[in-house]
Amino acid sequence: MGDLPKHPDRLILRLEALDGKFDHWRPAEILRRNPAKVEKLAQTTLSNFENLARRINETHA
């Protein structure tokens, strides 16, 4: 995080400013093809993703 440019843009734009074009589908593809990597994620990370999915789904109810 410390290497990311300091500005209020979306995280994806900040990553692209740091390292060029960012493929936002690649992380999901890696986890889909290698489920064992999901098991290595911290419980906090998994909870954050679950909460995010719930909030997104609530907007479509």
Side-chain angles (χ1 to χ4, degrees):
M1 276 304 274
D3 294 339
L4 289 174
K6 304 284 188 220
H7 51 76
D9 288 340
R10 294 182 0 234
L11 183 57
I12 296 299
L13 296 177
R14 294 169 64 193
L15 286 169
E16 288 178 345
L18 180 67
D19 197 35
K21 183 71 177 153
F22 180 77
D23 179 359
H24 64 278
W25 292 106
R26 183 145 172 80
E29 179 65 16
I30 289 170
L31 293 175
R32 187 184 72 77
R33 290 182 184 264
N34 302 296
K37 290 185 182 270
V38 174
E39 296 170 3
K40 294 179 181 177
L41 295 173
Q43 186 58 47
T44 301
T45 300
L46 294 172
S47 294
N48 287 341
F49 276 110
E50 183 178 359
N51 290 334
L52 176 61
R54 277 197 185 113
R55 291 180 72 182
I56 291 170
N57 288 337
E58 288 171 359
T59 68
H60 297 287

